[in-house]
Every structure is written in C-alpha cells, then in structure tokens.
Amino acid sequence: MTKSPLTLYLAAPRGFCAGVDRAIKIVEMALSKWGAPVYVRHEIVHNKYVVDALRDQGAVFVEELDECPDDRPVIFSAHGVPKAVPAAAAKREMIYVDATCPLVSKVHIEAERHHANGLQMVMIGHAGHPETVGTMGQLPEGEVILVETADDVASIAPRDPNKLAFITQTTLSVDDTADVVAALNARFPAIIGPHKEDICYATTNRQEAVKAMATKTKAMLVIGAPNSSNSKRLVEVGAKAGCSYAQLVQRAADIDWRALEGIDSIGITAGASAPEVLINEVIDAFKDRYDVTEEVIETAVENVEFKVPRVLRTPA
Ligand code: 0CH
Ligand code: SF4
C-alpha cells in the first residue's frame, strides 16, 4: 500500500531546556557519587519516562522529605521547594542537593528581596503546582498572594496597595500572563515587577515556535506529561494560534490516528521535560504510516547551560 504524503513540521526549540538537563544530570551524578539509593523529592521533572529511567538506576522518588531516611542523599526537584524543606533536611543532617532550576531560584531571590524591602508579593501561578508552592514557601505565610487569572486580580485584598510587587511561575503562557500583569498594573499602579514577568527563556521560545508552526498547519502534537505545566501551555498556545487539533501525548502509543485521518500536515513540539527519545519515537511512528517530509520551524537558537552544584563536581 502506498503511504499518503505528510509534511511534518518540527518546532525548534522543543524538548529539554537547560534546567531540566541540569536536574537530570544532578540525579545521575548523585547516583554515581553516593551509589543507590538516592532519594528524589517529587518527580525530578514532570516526565514518566525520565523518572522511570532514573528509578531503574537506583533513584527513589518520594513526595515528602519525611519519607526519606536520614542517612541517604536527597535531591530536590527542578521546580523548587519551600524554604522549610532544606531547613528540615539540614536539621536532620542529611546530604541534600538542590536541583531547582537557577531561573526558578532567581524568582525566589526576587521575592526575598522585595520582602526585605517591606513589600507584599502577588504571585501569578497555578495553585498547587510544585513551583508555585516552592516559590510561595520562600516567604512567611500571608506574604505571597496567589492569582491565577486576570479576573482574580479584582478580588485580592493586599495589606497596602502601595507596597506590592509581583512575581510569576516560570512556565506560564506568555500571552495570558500579560493580561494578568495588565490587570495588576491597572488596579495597583504602584506595583513593582520584573521587566515583563518571570517566564523563562525556554517557555517563551517554545511558545513562539508553536505560534509560528500554527501558521503552517492546523494539527499539532505536544509531547509531554499531563502534569507538566509548560507542556500543557504549548497545547493551549497552539489551539489559540489556530490549530483546530492540538493534543498532548506522552509518547507514540498515545497518538489517536483515527482523529488524524485525512491530514496532510502536522506540527510536532515537546515540553521542556520531554526527552528527545520520545520525540524521535513519535516522528518514527509518523514515518511508519506516512510518506513524511520534515520541515523545521526554527524561531530561536538556544545555547543556555547550567553548571551542576559544586558538591557533585568533586569526588566522594
Ligand atoms: O512545566 P512544569 O513546571 O510543570 O515542569 P516540567 O514539566 O517538569 O518542566 C521543567 C520545568 C521545571 C521548573 O521550571
Ligand atoms: Fe528552568 Fe525554564 Fe527549564 Fe523551568 S522550564 S527548568 S525555569 S529553563
């Protein structure tokens, strides 16, 4: 049977960012330095394939520090942790390595700086997401007010509307966040904030590439996990930019081929926590079924790299 022709647009950049790369390296290097088991508090990054592969090498994933023994190293995930977590680990004299992305840590520092200057914080983020929990947990209870949408801005009651600053989660939708920031500026003209928001380079670049891809095709697959904020935002951005079919898939087995019947092009991208091996698996699945022509849609070139913590750069 002859295969139908299909243009496969590949977003660039897509997949792993520097923070994810560093976080995974931290677990691998901790395993080689201290041997198994090494505990990891929360999924190191939100990807089952990555987590399963590290588990196979001896990592033990837990949700809370209480689940770790005192005498084994523990790693904190890329999303960041409330201040109370390293404090508890230090009190128990545990070895801990913080795999929080430096760009998340930067937001933590921003929050502390504003707090030291007597400002109450507004955080734009998703309730319950580990990054939001971690960032809010840098300051005492009540010092960070969470808003998720522009509508939320109307109902918050800060201590002093003239003494406010805002911070954001790093993996939000750039466009939706701009609306929330506009609502904050309108209601609190004195609010202090970053130049735009705290969304990181990787989130921004992946969303830009999706928008460019949406001008070429109406169908899009985002490789990523259902609990991955940045991956879910890529699906929303694709849909908003005009893709009538935009779906999140964890891997090739999740592709709904029936829904794709009759298409002659599709865009592929991947969240910052989705490994290249799963991207290739999806591309290969298309090649099995279609006569594929690949076209890369490149909107940015990334060359960011983060060093692993010093403790892992020295022998045991
Ligand atoms: O996008 P989220 O924050 O859910 O996390 P992820 O999918 O593990 O991607 C890495 C980002 C980690 C923190 O910015
Ligand atoms: Fe860091 Fe951005 Fe990657 Fe999050 S998505 S780990 S903030 S580079």
Side-chain angles (χ1 to χ4, degrees), residues 110-122 139-140 142-145 158-166 190-193:
E110 246 171 71
E112 284 197 293
R113 185 169 54 85
H114 289 311
H115 177 64
N117 289 333
L119 303 178
Q120 194 178 13
M121 303 300 306
V122 176
L139 300 186
E143 288 302 314
V144 188
I145 305 169
R159 219 171 20 235
D160 179 347
N162 293 313
K163 286 193 169 171
L164 275 181
F166 77 86
I191 197 165
I192 292 172

Side-chain angles (χ1 to χ4, degrees), residues 63-75:
E63 277 311 306
E64 293 301 338
L65 195 67
D66 297 351
E67 299 165 61
C68 308
D70 291 347
D71 60 353
R72 292 306 306 165
V74 60
I75 292 160

Side-chain angles (χ1 to χ4, degrees), residues 7 46 85 144 158 187 193 196 227 251 254 265 281 295 311 314:
T7 307
H46 292 147
V85 175
V144 188
R187 184 166 171 215
K196 274 187 174 168
N227 59 340
R251 55 191 310 167
D254 298 336
S265 72
E281 184 185 272
E295 198 180 311
V311 64
T314 50

Side-chain angles (χ1 to χ4, degrees), residues 12 38 40 107 118 134 173 219 233 237 240 260 265 269 280 313-314:
V38 161
V40 185
V107 182
S173 147
R233 301 297 82 79
V237 168
K240 240 183 171 170
L260 296 178
S265 72
T269 187
N280 289 332
R313 286 184 264 138
T314 50

Side-chain angles (χ1 to χ4, degrees), residues 129-249:
H129 186 281
E131 182 180 332
T132 299
V133 173
T135 302
M136 292 180 77
Q138 299 306 303
L139 300 186
E141 188 94 32
E143 288 302 314
V144 188
I145 305 169
L146 181 69
V147 296
E148 295 191 80
T149 63
D151 287 347
D152 289 348
V153 172
S155 58
I156 59 172
R159 219 171 20 235
D160 179 347
N162 293 313
K163 286 193 169 171
L164 275 181
F166 77 86
I167 46 173
T168 77
Q169 205 176 314
T170 57
T171 53
L172 301 177
S173 147
V174 172
D175 295 337
D176 293 352
T177 306
D179 293 344
V180 187
V181 171
L184 282 172
N185 282 323
R187 184 166 171 215
F188 307 109
I191 197 165
I192 292 172
H195 173 55
K196 274 187 174 168
E197 18 63 4
D198 299 304
I199 298 171
C200 75
Y201 81 93
T203 300
T204 307
N205 289 346
R206 279 152 194 68
Q207 290 179 14
E208 275 307 306
V210 158
K211 285 184 194 171
M213 215 159 56
T215 64
K216 304 257 188 186
T217 180
K218 295 286 158 247
M220 189 175 298
L221 292 181
V222 177
I223 301 154
N227 59 340
S228 167
S229 168
N230 78 86
S231 307
K232 286 193 292 187
R233 301 297 82 79
L234 293 177
V235 176
E236 291 169 4
V237 168
K240 240 183 171 170
C243 284
S244 45
Y245 186 85
Q247 285 291 321
L248 188 70
V249 292

Side-chain angles (χ1 to χ4, degrees), residues 23 41-46 76-81 99-101 104 108 129-132 134-135 171 227 273:
R41 185 190 175 280
H42 193 69
E43 287 190 341
I44 187 72
V45 298
H46 292 147
F76 306 142
S77 80
H79 317 92
V81 284
T100 303
C101 176
V104 174
H108 292 181
H129 186 281
E131 182 180 332
T132 299
T135 302
T171 53
N227 59 340
S273 45

